[in-house]
Amino acid sequence: MKPPASAPAPAAPAHSGPGAGTPHSLVLALVGSGGDGVALLGDLVLGMAARQGLYGMMVQSYGPQIRGGESAAIVRLADSEVLYEGDQVDLLLCFRLRDLKRFQGALHLHSGSVVVMDREEGGDPPEWLGRTVEPPFRFPFARFEDGIEVEGPPKNMLGLGLLCRVLGWPQTLAEDALRRRFGHRRERLQANLESLATGLAVEKFPARPAPLGKGTGLFAETGNEAIARGAIAAGLKFFAGYPITPSSEVMETLIEELPAAGGRVVQAEDEIAAMGMVLGASFGGVPSMTATSGPGLSLMTEMIGLSSMAELPAIIVDCQRAGPATGMPSRTEQSDLNHAVYGGHGDFPRAVLGVFDVVHGRDIMYRAMLLAERYQLPVLVLSDAYIAQRRQIRDAETTQRPAPQRERWTEASGPARFDLTAADGVNAFRVPGDPGGTYLAAGIEHNQEGFPTADTTTHHRMNQKRFRKLEGIASETRDWFRTLGKDGAPRGIVAWGSEYGLLREWTAAHPDYRVFLPEIIHPFPLEAFETWRRGLESMAVVEMNFQGQFHRYLSSLTDLRGVRRVTRSGGTPMTAAELDRYLTEATA
Amino acid sequence: MKAKDFRSTLEPVWCTGCGDFGVLKGLTLALADLEIAPERLAVISGIGCSSRLPGYTRSYAFNSIHGRALPIASGLKFARPEITTIVVGGDGDGFSIGLGHIPHAIRRNVDLTYAVLDNGIYGLTKGQASPTSSEEFKRDRGLAGVEERPLNPLLLVLSSGCGFVARTHAGNLPHVREMFRAAIEYPGFSFLHVLAGCVTYQGPSYAETIYQRCDMLPADHDPTDLSNAMEIVRQERFALGVIYRRPPEKGAGIGERDLAAAAGVWPAVGTPEAAREMPGE
């Protein structure tokens, strides 16, 4: 199937299946206390991998404390693109054994895994990690005086040196990485280079060579960076937001990069104000967006209805986290689907898109901008913590072009801002500054001129006009979906969002499965889905939330009798082993 | 230009004798005085009786949702700084549900005029107490919140660092016109407190009663004296006129410490010395 005419040229065909087989990969888990710098270590390792043309991704996990809590970085290095962190750890580097406790259930070793731990600490890794054939390799990371740990050389730099030997990476690669990172701070660079050398000088060490890279440098970015950059490329000119985990880096990236593209960023006093500013800027004719997470989305909801009612284009990115209320802010979940599709009082049209992975983050923003601007309504983009804060190595940036902007009003467009007969329910947009175009935008029900009305018939006709937009969108987005696996495979999985990463590897290893993932969740590409499901012997809906929100949503659109529910609450991403078990146990 | 050039074809739904008529008239007169082209004008409101006002103006008007006019107007002004932006609304819209936005719009010094038409009552929802209703009034009418003291909006905006603070009375048309003109002309966030009567829920004599409590500022009033301004707004009687007008800022921010102090920009807890190395670096 060819990609839709309106989409940017993607790096790979829109419906590409998995690469050839499962990638050759190595999973590193780096565990320490906050302040040990495991995140920086993971970041450096990932950057060095990208430099060699090696693929990979990194996810972080941190304790409830801001600093001083346990922290882990999981880095998977691979010879082809990976969108999933893998089930088992091949190499565990742990600066302090007691820090492992928090990651019980999230880290699993296999018999061939290597454990690197502190020499002075003594003790053995906990049983729940799994048994390894080789005993732990002990290295003097910490410095002690009278049995008390004192400040010594940075552990993460010692670890970096050691890892270079274990992975078989040249010293110059690490030195270059440190120079790029600390070149502007000479003393710091010198100290780090010395510790690196200490780590590199280790004599006997367990060798676990990394897969070979393809030599040409690749590019690493996070989901939040990709969303921000995709939006800029699509034509974003105004952003307002409020800090919230796990979406804040969208705003932070835009603060750095949007002004250069002629745009403006405001950190608002709360999410209500952020969404208000977005609508104000959009009322001014300027492509605008915000980014938030569940609690912020709840606060924005009244204003999302206003966006639809006053017909003001707006993009709302929701980086989902485990909810409700505060929930587990740093943990992933796919539980805002109901809110995105149904949230808000009254009847109003909106579009809901789902992000598959970091690379898709850029592409999805083009599509979001296209729909928001062309149809003058709110477009929600559902990302999640697993994509948002993952740093992923990808092929060089794909070319992106700006999305078409809203049709601008002229005298010839006619007298009514909200003409009931408009094709697809969309009228030319009146931009402040245009002479003769003055009108009243309102959250109050209004007639064609925009003036307030409480007339029942007008209200119904306005609803009809506004909802006609969904018909236009459904027609335009009929092939906004991806499939995985072979057409004739007898077992089907339907899923959305970040489940894509796991399912891509799953189908590569399980040729009896095929997968359907909508890129646009609402309106749903139903025709394509019905075509895809033909001939299936069994089907399961795979998602990560307690209620099975996607299953329920789908069953409101089509017959799902006999289709099984594979769902659990969020937290850690689903593993292949879990999926295997759930697919066996799941009931309809 | 004439005032009627700034009126739409829509007829107001306000009660006969409502103070909001005077505000609409005074605003359109001021706009005509300033010769602002209607297409370069945005009038934005939330929800309430007075928030209907944008629909009666010929402008890019936006009658949005309750309490959120300031963020919407701020977004417009950030995106389109060349558009003259005026926010209107009532005391419930601005000082109750929307109060949290006021200090932040002031901190950002968004170049817009915010006029609050304060009648001390919720008119649209038929007579509930507002944050500016007096304790006596609430007791007399059996309204909620008898124990809650009324808010002093002018003290609030002055303490937030507002650069232009004025008050007028809807019944004095020439003064309303003059105050709107001065507020719109001020480069930066300007706050205009308009005392208005609600003939239905405050009674027909309320506007006059309030007016009897008003005094014009003396001719020798120094509007650059912040301490004096804060004294004036704490008085029992309502001073009418430009109570405070900070000399407009040049450039992006306030550089000089003395000027900052005079402007009501308070000592901040964040200092450059506090910006230390990032963790993990």
Side-chain angles (χ1 to χ4, degrees), chain B residues 140-189:
Chain B
D140 185 54
R141 298 288 176 94
L143 303 180
V146 172
E147 308 79 10
E148 294 171 20
R149 282 168 301 211
L151 185 88
N152 184 334
L154 294 197
L155 197 56
L156 176 90
V157 298
L158 280 171
S159 68
S160 299
C162 189
F164 181 100
V165 179
R167 181 155 52 204
T168 186
H169 187 286
N172 186 338
L173 185 60
H175 196 253
V176 174
R177 175 186 194 166
E178 187 192 332
M179 288 301 104
F180 261 117
R181 219 165 38 210
I184 294 167
E185 278 191 305
Y186 183 76
F189 189 95

Side-chain angles (χ1 to χ4, degrees), chain A residues 544-577:
Chain A
M544 194 180 289
N545 59 70
F546 183 76
Q547 299 181 97
Q549 297 182 10
F550 187 45
H551 189 283
R552 276 197 202 175
Y553 171 61
L554 272 184
S555 63
S556 75
L557 301 172
T558 184
D559 184 359
L560 283 198
R561 272 175 298 181
V563 175
R564 292 171 304 151
R565 292 155 40 119
V566 173
T567 187
R568 70 147 159 88
S569 303
T572 50
M574 204 178 281
T575 64

